[in-house]
Amino acid sequence: MSGVIVTNPPKADPEDVGALAAFGVATVSEAMGRTGLLGPQIRPIQQGVRVAGTAVTVLGWPGDNLMIHAAVEQCGEGDLLVVTTTSPSTDGMFGELFATALQRRGVRGLVINAGIRDTRDLREMGFAAWSRAVSAQGTVKATGGSVNVPVAIDGQVIRPGDVILADDDGVVVVPRERARETAERSRAREEKEAAARAAFLDGQLGLDRYGLRDRLKQLGVRYLSHEEYAGERS
């Protein structure tokens, strides 16, 4: 497999990335019409951490981390490395040495659609990572691939320079052209949720706040006493 390493791709504005970092993955995905999620199989190796950065993408061969080495050179302050393979892989393609090199360059974290190892070391050094698998299985450095090209994870296309936001709930990609708009929509959604939260704390029910009693009626859902229910079943 031959490939290409693309240098200096366009990136989302750092201010827009910072604005998106204030919101959770679920909020941002909802703000984009429930899109952008990289799927439930990509899970964090730590808890209580949220990061946002601009994507540096890697497409490599399963069980081969050569192109991650090539990608390190293309990474800089505020980036987040996104790695996937040409076919499914759970081998431990990334570990503490890679994280050390990336941390030195100001990289904010890793999303890998494959395996990761040295997870205790990564947590201790504060390097945030999300992966498909945790595996001690080693890899080779033998096959060409590509860096900073569009890649796909769980049907979502990630382009170099797009915004990646990751937290305990998973990972979402925001197209770089939509970063500012999505941050504004996320802020509006959080304000709406804050109002609902206050109402719930005051005792209001979601059934009433969202007008769901009529929906239940339209769907033919009935309220029955225990005696009425038992009578219908006898």
Side-chain angles (χ1 to χ4, degrees):
M1 172 182 167
S2 61
V4 61
I5 298 172
V6 180
T7 62
N8 300 318
K11 295 182 179 182
D13 189 299
E15 289 188 7
D16 297 334
V17 177
L20 284 167
F23 307 107
V25 164
T27 296
V28 170
S29 175
E30 293 282 356
M32 291 195 299
R34 299 181 183 175
T35 63
L37 293 174
L38 301 195
Q41 76 279 2
I42 305 292
R43 303 303 306 150
I45 67 164
Q46 67 284 308
Q47 290 291 304
V49 174
R50 179 189 297 162
V51 298
T54 45
V56 171
T57 62
V58 177
L59 178 63
W61 201 258
D64 190 317
N65 67 6
L66 173 61
M67 298 315 296
I68 300 179
H69 283 279
V72 172
E73 183 182 24
Q74 304 306 316
C75 291
E77 187 73 35
D79 286 334
L80 198 149
L81 189 63
V82 179
V83 180
T84 192
T85 51
T86 55
S87 60
S89 176
T90 59
D91 293 340
M93 297 176 62
F94 185 100
E96 175 266 334
L97 289 178
F98 272 136
T100 299
L102 290 175
Q103 209 169 48
R104 172 66 177 79
R105 301 177 77 86
V107 174
R108 294 175 177 171
L110 166 81
V111 173
I112 182 166
N113 189 29
I116 193 171
R117 61 185 187 177
D118 302 335
T119 55
R120 177 178 177 178
D121 294 330
L122 297 181
R123 286 189 293 271
E124 288 179 350
M125 65 190 292
F127 188 85
W130 286 255
S131 69
R132 173 182 287 272
V134 173
S135 174
Q137 178 63 49
T139 57
V140 298
K141 301 165 183 61
T143 313
S146 293
V147 175
N148 277 336
V149 299
V151 299
I153 298 177
D154 201 40
Q156 299 296 325
V157 175
I158 303 105
R159 300 168 305 161
D162 285 345
V163 183
I164 300 294
L165 178 68
D167 63 15
D168 290 346
D169 291 338
V171 183
V172 65
V173 56
V174 180
R176 57 181 180 266
E177 300 90 349
R178 297 185 60 189
R180 183 164 303 178
E181 166 205 350
T182 301
E184 293 170 353
R185 289 176 178 266
S186 298
R187 185 175 296 106
R189 182 173 181 83
E190 282 216 335
E191 291 171 354
K192 181 179 178 181
E193 289 184 349
R197 187 177 302 108
F200 294 158
L201 286 170
D202 199 41
Q204 187 178 18
L205 296 175
L207 285 174
D208 299 313
R209 184 169 183 81
Y210 303 133
L212 298 178
R213 294 190 188 278
D214 287 341
R215 178 69 57 83
L216 290 175
K217 186 176 180 180
Q218 292 167 4
L219 293 172
V221 179
R222 300 175 297 153
Y223 283 85
L224 297 176
S225 69
H226 174 71
E227 291 77 12
E228 291 169 332
Y229 179 67
E232 286 195 0
R233 290 175 57 86
S234 63

